[in-house]
Structures are given as C-alpha cells and as structure tokens.
C-alpha cells in the first residue's frame, strides 16, 4: 500500500508546484506569441508580486485582521495591481523602443531589465529572506498502512485559484474584443494594424495579463513556501520558461501542460532520487525538447518568426 | 471644384536603400473606380501600403478628405474611413469567419458590427454557410471573399484592393469584379484597385494609372487606356 500512496503524494505535490509554473509560463508564452521575444524580466515580476503579497498580509495581520480569505483577496488585488503596473512600465521603457530592431537587442534589454528589477527589490527590501506565517494551516489526511497522504488546504486553494484563473483567461481570449485582438496580433500584427487596431495597446495588455497571472502565482507560491527573497524570480522564471518551451512556446494550453508536467517531473525526482536533482531534470528536459522537438508538445513546427 | 477623396502628391518610398516609389502623384474622387496597373515589382503594393502608412513614405503627401495623413500611425489612418484588402488576403487563418469579421469592425460598436455583418453576409452568402469555420480551412476564393468582407466591416468610404483576383478561377474573378461594381453602385463606395488582370480592371474602371519602376508613366480613362497601343502591348498581351 505504501508505494502507490507515496507516488500519489509526489504527484499531488508536483501538480501544486506545476500549477504555479503554468500560471507564470502563460506570461512568457503570450508575450512570445505576440511580439516574438522572451521576456526575461517576467520572473522578476513574479518575485515583486510575491513581496507585495507578503507585505500586504504582514501589514494587515499586524493591524489585527486574521480572516484568511480577506488577507488573501487583499494581497491578491494589490499584488496584481503592482505587478501589472511594473510589467506595463517595463514594456514601455525597455521593450517598445527596441521593437523592430534585432532580436538580440530585445533580449539584452530584457536581461538588463531583469537585473535592474532584482537589484531594485534588493535595495528596497534587503537580501535576506522574509517570511510569513502560515495563514492557512491544516489539510486532509488519508492514511493507508504506514503512509499518510496529505492534501493541504493550501494545495486545494492553489488548484482552485489556478483553475479559475485559467478559465477566466480562456473566456477572455476567446470571447472578449481585446482577447480576440490578442489572437489576431499574434497571427499577423501588421494586418491587425491595417484594420485600425491599436496594436501597441494590445501588446501592453498582453504584458499586463501575463503579470496578473504571475501575481496570482506569487501569492500562492509565496503562501505555500512562506519565504521570499529577491532571487526567487530567477529560478521560477527559468522553470516557467522551460514549461512554456516544453508545452510549445506561443501556445497557452501548451504552457499549462508544460507547467504541470514539469512540476510532476520535479516532484517525482525529488521523491525518488533527491531534491538536488530537481533542476538537473528540469533543464535536462529543456535541452532534450530543444534538441528533438523545439516547437514543444502542443506547438506547431513553423518557420521561425524573425 | 471638388476636392479629391484621396490625393497623393510626390510620394517617395524606400525599403532601406532601395527606392520603390519615385515621385508618385495621383488622385481618386468620391464615387470613382480607379485602377492601378503595372508589371511585377513596379511598386503597386508599395504605393497602396504607403497610403496606409506601412511602409512609411520617405517624402510626399497623402491626403484623405483633404487632411494630410502621411506620418500618422497606420491604425489611426485606417480609422479615418478607408480600408484595405491587402496582397495575399492576410485573413486570420486561426480565427473563424465570424471572428475575422469582428476584427474588421474592431473599433465600432456591437450594434454596428452586427449590422455590418448582416450586410456583408448578404453580399457574400457563401460566408454565411461558413460562419463558424476557421479562415485557414477555406478555399482561396472564399478566403478572398472573407478578406473583402472583413474590409467592409468598418463601412469604408474608400476601399483599397490589392490584386483581389490573383490565383482565382475565372468564375470567382467575375464574381469579385461584380461585387466591386455593386459596392460603388449601391453603397457609393469609392474604389482604388490594384490589378495585374489589366483588361478586367480597366474595363470596370473610370480611370486608370500605369506604374513602371515606381513611377506613374500614363494616366487616362479606363477606356482610353484599354485602347492605348503601349498599354495593349505591355499589359494586355498585344
Ligand atoms: N519589404 C520589402 N523590402 C525590400 N524591398 C521590397 C519590399 N517589398 C517590396 N520591395 C521591392 O520594391 C519593389 C516594388 O515591390 P511591390 O511589391 O510594390 O511591387 P508590385 O508592383 O506590387 O509587384 P507584384 O505585382 O508582383 O505584386 C520591388 O522591387 C520589390 O522587390
Ligand atoms: Mg504587389
């Protein structure tokens, strides 16, 4: 009985982390789909959102508020606003001026932005870990034999909030005017312009939506781990980027699938080998996919947009 | 004296170091069908797209309704009452007919979009049958109809068309030319038509221009150009 339950526990843990990778990966994939660049500052946006969520939760707790749901909603709203504002500004300041020039220039600008944002949080918040207490303790326990599977309330919240975010995004993309314009722009931006669509605005909104989803991930993962420092954006960004490539960069369902797969792969590695191999497995997967199926699981092989 | 709806003066456009348009001037008045003919690489597409600000002309002026529009962002120019059916159709292949049409009326209200949709579906009943089909899975003729229908969604007063007959069967070409005439007759839409199919284009046009190597070398009424020896030799096969 122990073996299957242990496996189940790893899968639950993997899907938890994978959900948040998926949320962050959507930002990479949407931006890539529309302007063909990898926004390397996206991980930093997630990091900033996590800080903001921590500050809101810590601040409100100090004021004596202890309703978990209130704390989460407040933190979520503020984190989304702050993260979106940062992403909007990053696009205006660092990407729009170099749009249309060589890819390498945009890439360098993105890396520069990433370093800038990391240092900006370092100055504002210091380099040491900040922690918050668990505001949502407890969970369900299912025991069988001598192993007990734990499904924490926090994990359930992560699944639920991720699912709701994805459904909202899907509805937005397929039904709303702006969502359709996003799709039109990722197919043929010049044509969208020729139809009188303000594609600069559509691009800005793509960054804002990506940032809002990263902020959701920031709150969820921040509460799950309970700590934040200015360096978490780097690794999380790299993982989410891997997830996006795994699923097929440019494809939103691909980003979700890639995130979940990556999360489970890491959890199984951690559970059966050692957590020290997690990153090896993730980036090994990235290299394998780039070598053998660079368009990813759900992406279509196509002539590269230059 | 009436002012021209579209007036292009001394337009020059470059692609990097290559000069594609050389001092082009032309005009299109309200209610006219004007065609632009010329061989491959003459600069027809460049001229049409320069009017839309994509590519940005190097010098010269483009006036629409008497107002200078050159230098404005493309999306702004395209909201001022003109629309384009570009070379190669450029429909959104991953989107349905309905979605493509809604993009054509992007900056208009829901009610106006519904009205225009109804209107273009009566012009192109074929699209009604394909309403929820993805653009990319339709035939070439259907795609061209969709491209025209999409351009009409904004109720343009001036419609720019770039080789709408390219690669289509004669029967479809005839339909498309019929629709173009119908648009002018019934809606009063002004038409600026780029065509390699010079014979057909000149026969429905009030006036025409001939472009060679980025320059306008001839301009006259459609009938006169059809009868012109040089034009017959170069563009009408004798
Ligand atoms: N994006 C571009 N970059 C560089 N040169 C270009 C570009 N587009 C067109 N040209 C050049 O400009 C000239 C005019 O091209 P254009 O497409 O306007 O011709 P056209 O008359 O529309 O030809 P066709 O009948 O084949 O469509 C050509 O010599 C072409 O090679
Ligand atoms: Mg052309």
């Amino acid at each position: 009985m122990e073996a299957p339950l242990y496996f189940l526990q790893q899968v639950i843990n993997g899907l938890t982390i994978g959900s948040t990778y998926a949320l962050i990966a959507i930002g990479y994939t949407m931006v890539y789909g529309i302007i063909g660049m990898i926004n390397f500052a996206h991980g930093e946006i997630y990091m900033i959102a996590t800080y903001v969520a921590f500050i809101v939760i810590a601040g409100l707790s100090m004021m004596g508020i202890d309703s978990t749901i209130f704390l989460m909603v407040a933190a979520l709203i503020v984190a989304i606003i702050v993260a979106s504002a940062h992403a909007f500004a990053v696009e205006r300041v660092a990407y729009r001026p170099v749009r249309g020039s060589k890819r390498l220039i945009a890439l360098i600008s993105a890396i520069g932005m990433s370093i800038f944002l990391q240092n900006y949080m370092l100055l504002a918040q210091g380099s040491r870990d900040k922690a918050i207490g668990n505001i949502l303790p407890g969970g369900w326990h299912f025991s069988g034999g001598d192993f007990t599977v734990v499904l924490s309330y926090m994990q359930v919240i992560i699944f639920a909030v991720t699912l709701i975010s994805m459904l909202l995004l899907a509805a937005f993309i397929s039904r709303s005017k702006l969502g359709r314009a996003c799709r039109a722009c990722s197919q043929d931006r010049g044509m969208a312009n020729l139809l009188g669509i303000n594609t600069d605005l559509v691009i800005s909104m793509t960054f804002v939506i990506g940032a809002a989803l990263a902020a959701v991930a920031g709150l969820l993962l921040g509460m799950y781990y309970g700590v934040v420092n200015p360096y978490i954006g780097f690794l999380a960004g790299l993982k989410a980027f891997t997830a996006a490539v795994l699923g097929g960069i440019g494809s939103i369902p691909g980003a979700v699938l890639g995130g979940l797969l990556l999360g489970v792969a890491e959890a199984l590695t951690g559970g059966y080998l050692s957590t020290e191999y997690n990153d090896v497995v993730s980036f090994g997967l990235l290299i394998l996919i780039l070598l053998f199926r660079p368009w990813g699981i759900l992406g279509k092989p196509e002539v590269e947009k230059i | 004296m009436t002012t021209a709806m579209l007036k292009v003066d001394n337009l020059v456009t470059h692609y990097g170091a290559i000069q594609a348009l050389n001092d082009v001037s032309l005009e299109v008045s309200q209610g006219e069908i004007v065609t632009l003919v010329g061989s491959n690489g003459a600069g027809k597409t460049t001229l049409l797209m320069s009017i839309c600000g994509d590519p940005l002309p190097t010098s010269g002026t483009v006036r629409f309704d008497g107002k200078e529009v050159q230098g404005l962002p493309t999306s702004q120019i395209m909201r001022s009452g003109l629309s384009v059916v570009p070379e190669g159709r450029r429909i959104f292949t991953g989107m349905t007919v309905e979605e493509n049409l809604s993009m054509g009326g992007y900056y208009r209200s829901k009610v106006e979009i519904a009205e225009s949709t109804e209107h273009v579906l009566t012009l192109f009943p074929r699209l009604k049958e394909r309403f929820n089909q993805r653009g990319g899975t339709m035939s070439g003729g259907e795609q061209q109809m969709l491209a025209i229908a999409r351009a009409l969604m904004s109720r343009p007063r001036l419609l720019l068309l770039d080789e709408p007959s390219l690669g289509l069967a004669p029967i479809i070409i005839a339909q498309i030319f019929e629709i173009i005439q119908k648009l002018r007759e019934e809606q009063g839409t002004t038409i600026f038509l780029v065509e390699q199919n010079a014979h057909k284009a000149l026969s429905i046009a009030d006036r025409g221009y001939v472009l060679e190597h980025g320059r306008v070398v001839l301009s006259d009424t459609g009938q006169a150009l059809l009868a012109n020896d040089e034009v017959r030799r170069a563009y009408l096969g004798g």
Side-chain angles (χ1 to χ4, degrees):
Chain A
M1 202 56 195
E2 181 179 330
L5 286 184
Y6 183 74
F7 179 79
L8 180 65
Q9 181 73 68
Q10 304 314 317
V11 171
I12 291 173
N13 295 349
L15 290 175
T16 309
I17 302 299
S19 303
T20 62
Y21 288 163
L23 284 171
I24 308 172
I26 289 172
Y28 280 107
T29 227
M30 282 181 76
V31 164
Y32 183 86
I34 208 159
I35 53 175
M37 77 167 279
I38 302 297
N39 174 16
F40 274 109
H42 189 55
E44 279 18 275
I45 298 290
Y46 153 81
M47 176 270 292
I48 291 171
T50 310
Y51 265 106
V52 172
F54 271 43
I55 292 167
V56 172
I57 290 174
L60 290 177
S61 303
M62 254 166 27
M63 287 159 61
I65 293 166
D66 58 3
S67 149
T68 301
I69 188 86
F70 181 84
L71 288 175
M72 280 187 71
V73 170
L76 187 64
I77 291 172
V78 181
I80 286 176
I81 292 171
V82 174
S84 299
H86 276 80
F88 181 85
V90 165
E91 194 272 330
R92 289 302 285 266
V93 171
Y95 302 157
R96 192 174 296 183
V98 297
R99 203 190 295 152
S101 44
K102 292 203 174 64
R103 283 191 153 199
L104 188 61
I105 295 176
L107 186 69
I108 291 169
S109 192
I111 292 170
M113 248 314 132
S114 163
I115 295 170
F116 169 78
L117 290 174
Q118 201 181 91
N119 282 281
Y120 150 100
M121 284 315 278
L122 197 61
L123 278 177
Q125 295 289 325
S127 65
R128 270 193 278 159
D129 282 1
K130 292 231 175 337
I132 50 166
N134 190 349
I135 58 170
L136 190 63
W140 288 294
H141 298 253
F142 308 94
S143 63
D146 41 12
F147 188 80
T148 303
V149 175
V150 181
L151 177 63
S152 71
Y153 297 141
M154 192 59 221
Q155 286 177 317
V156 175
I157 287 283
I158 289 178
F159 296 139
V161 173
T162 302
L163 188 66
I164 292 167
S165 308
M166 307 267 178
L167 292 176
L168 284 176
L169 179 73
F172 169 79
I173 291 285
S174 62
R175 305 244 167 75
S176 79
K177 217 166 168 172
L178 192 61
R180 286 177 169 194
C182 283
R183 282 160 62 208
C185 283
S186 54
Q187 284 177 43
D188 187 342
R189 184 144 51 94
M191 190 60 228
N193 249 315
L194 287 169
L195 293 172
I197 298 173
N198 182 347
T199 53
D200 281 340
L201 185 71
V202 176
I203 293 169
S204 288
M205 289 323 292
T206 305
F207 276 85
V208 164
I209 292 162
L213 293 171
V216 174
L219 170 73
L220 296 175
L221 214 50
M223 285 176 64
Y224 189 62
Y225 286 138
V227 289
V228 62
N229 64 51
Y231 311 109
I232 61 163
F234 178 73
L235 198 58
L238 221 48
K239 293 285 173 68
F241 169 68
T242 303
V245 173
L246 198 59
I249 189 101
S251 155
I252 294 177
V256 176
L257 181 67
L260 295 177
L261 278 179
L262 192 66
V264 172
E266 283 193 353
L268 293 177
T269 311
Y272 289 98
L273 281 171
S274 151
T275 47
E276 290 178 4
Y277 287 109
N278 278 2
D279 298 350
V280 177
V281 166
S282 300
F283 301 127
L285 272 174
L286 178 62
I287 291 168
L288 284 180
I289 198 95
L290 286 175
L291 280 177
F292 297 109
R293 202 180 156 89
W295 55 88
I297 299 168
L298 296 184
K300 286 181 214 82
E302 60 176 329
V303 194
E304 204 189 2
K305 294 188 197 175
I306 305 252
Chain B
M1 202 194 101
T2 57
T3 57
M5 175 178 262
L6 175 71
K7 193 165 187 328
V8 173
D9 285 298
N10 312 105
L11 204 67
V12 176
T13 298
H14 286 85
Y15 292 109
I18 303 162
Q19 181 166 358
L21 289 184
N22 189 345
D23 205 29
V24 172
S25 299
L26 57 80
E27 58 179 74
V28 181
S29 300
Q30 165 80 47
E32 270 192 313
I33 296 182
V34 173
T35 188
L36 178 73
V37 296
S39 46
N40 290 115
K44 304 180 298 295
T45 298
T46 305
L47 172 56
L48 200 80
M49 299 303 281
S50 296
I51 292 169
C52 306
D54 172 27
L56 216 57
T58 319
S59 64
T61 57
V62 177
R63 288 193 184 81
F64 182 66
D65 283 339
K67 243 181 47 215
E68 287 192 17
V69 297
Q70 81 280 357
L72 295 178
T74 297
S75 62
Q76 198 177 327
I77 296 175
M78 302 316 288
R79 288 177 183 220
S80 57
L82 70 164
S83 45
V84 62
V85 178
E87 183 166 54
R89 303 159 194 148
R90 292 172 73 175
I91 56 160
F92 301 116
T93 51
M95 299 173 93
T96 65
V97 168
E98 184 260 326
E99 290 171 329
N100 268 281
L101 292 178
S102 74
M103 288 295 105
Y106 188 74
Y107 55 89
R108 304 177 74 220
S109 73
K110 262 210 169 88
V111 181
E112 289 173 317
I113 290 180
E115 274 172 20
S116 290
T117 303
E118 191 144 330
H119 170 235
V120 299
L121 291 182
T122 51
L123 276 178
F124 300 101
R126 193 62 164 270
L127 295 180
K128 202 171 198 162
E129 298 159 26
R130 313 267 150 173
F131 205 50
N132 292 310
Q133 187 173 332
R134 275 172 184 247
T137 62
M138 300 201 304
S139 75
E142 288 163 350
Q143 292 191 8
Q144 187 64 66
M145 290 177 185
L146 178 56
I148 298 175
R150 181 182 63 182
L152 294 174
M153 288 296 293
S154 61
R155 292 267 161 143
R157 287 174 298 118
L158 172 65
L159 182 62
L160 310 172
L161 297 126
D162 195 345
E163 303 205 37
S165 72
L166 191 70
L168 302 181
I171 182 157
I172 310 279
I173 296 179
Q175 276 177 24
I176 284 176
F177 275 91
E178 225 166 85
I179 298 261
I180 291 170
Q181 287 174 283
K182 198 165 155 190
L183 280 173
R184 193 256 298 261
E185 251 78 271
E186 293 178 4
Q187 321 285 322
T189 312
T190 308
I191 309 280
F192 185 59
L193 172 65
V194 166
E195 261 301 338
Q196 288 227 23
N197 196 336
H199 185 81
K200 264 224 115 106
L202 288 170
S203 24
I204 67 160
D206 302 308
R207 291 188 304 109
Y209 290 87
V210 179
L211 198 68
E212 266 176 28
H213 304 299
R215 279 177 190 280
V216 173
V217 292
L218 262 179
S219 74
D220 210 327
T221 62
Q223 292 308 316
L225 288 174
L226 269 179
N228 181 300
D229 282 343
E230 266 177 73
V231 174
R232 295 180 74 90
R233 214 172 314 112
Y235 305 106
L236 302 172

